[in-house]
Amino acid sequence: MGRLGNIIERMRDVPWRSVAKEAADRSFIVAKFLCFCHVTNNYLCSIALVYGPSMLPTINLTGDLVLVDRVSHRIGHVGLGDIVLLRSPENPRKTVTKRITGMEGDTVTFAVDPKQGDRWKTVIVPKGHIFVQGDNIFSSNDSRNFGAVPYALVQAKALIRIWPPSAFGPLG
């Protein structure tokens, strides 16, 4: 009981208020850091893994890490030729990466079946929508299939490929 008594005696001497204050201060710093990370990742910029056959040869089949800007689309700074990440209009749980080929009011002409190449279709992109296509038209499910996409589905604009290092730089 002597050893337990020593521990209890030392516990009485601990300045609990200062320990609790320091713990609260450190917890507050961690909470502020996590809030900063959340805001940066969801509203400013983040890193995304993009992959699949639809954007070949711009994006590797096995995937590239790209820096994405989450501000540009909110202030209207996306345009023709930009690569965007958007929520799939067919499966809302999925994010797809495509290139913008038509803005609202534009007339877009495309091959209905690129493998045949003899049937063409022309559409006018409605107000508040964009027309997106994959760079690999032979293996891309895009606006040619599901129509123009509401601008509200755009989540980010792809800026720079950061991985693999050999291909580091702006996306074409």
Side-chain angles (χ1 to χ4, degrees):
M1 187 75 166
R3 188 174 184 164
L4 183 60
N6 286 342
I7 293 173
I8 293 173
E9 191 62 36
R10 279 191 272 160
M11 297 276 291
R12 287 188 191 144
D13 295 338
V14 173
W16 288 109
R17 287 188 184 192
S18 65
V19 170
K21 183 180 179 337
E22 185 174 341
D25 288 344
R26 290 187 185 210
S27 297
F28 188 64
I29 289 170
V30 170
K32 286 195 304 188
F33 175 73
L34 292 175
C35 288
F36 172 77
C37 290
H38 169 76
V39 168
T40 301
N41 191 47
N42 289 322
Y43 301 105
L44 298 176
C45 65
S46 63
I47 295 173
L49 174 64
V50 292
Y51 59 91
S54 73
M55 287 300 290
L56 282 171
T58 306
I59 294 172
N60 292 319
L61 181 64
T62 56
D64 290 341
L65 284 178
V66 297
L67 179 68
V68 296
D69 168 16
R70 297 189 179 272
V71 177
S72 292
H73 72 283
R74 289 188 173 98
I75 59 176
H77 283 128
V78 293
L80 292 175
D82 288 340
I83 297 174
V84 293
L85 280 69
L86 56 121
R87 189 153 316 276
S88 170
E90 297 180 320
N91 180 0
R93 293 178 182 223
K94 188 176 175 185
T95 299
V96 295
T97 306
K98 304 291 179 196
R99 187 179 302 275
I100 297 176
T101 57
M103 300 296 286
E104 67 178 53
D106 289 350
T107 302
V108 179
T109 302
F110 58 91
V112 175
D113 184 8
K115 294 173 185 165
Q116 301 292 333
D118 57 349
R119 286 193 42 225
W120 295 82
K121 186 174 181 180
T122 301
V123 296
I124 297 174
V125 182
K127 184 176 174 92
H129 289 68
I130 57 174
F131 200 87
V132 294
Q133 285 184 296
D135 289 353
N136 181 4
I137 63 170
F138 297 103
S139 181
S140 180
N141 185 25
D142 49 37
S143 288
R144 294 172 297 140
N145 306 101
F146 48 71
V149 177
Y151 193 79
L153 293 182
V154 176
Q155 296 179 326
K157 174 181 169 182
L159 296 176
I160 299 170
R161 180 187 346 254
I162 57 176
W163 193 266
S166 60
F168 180 86
L171 291 167

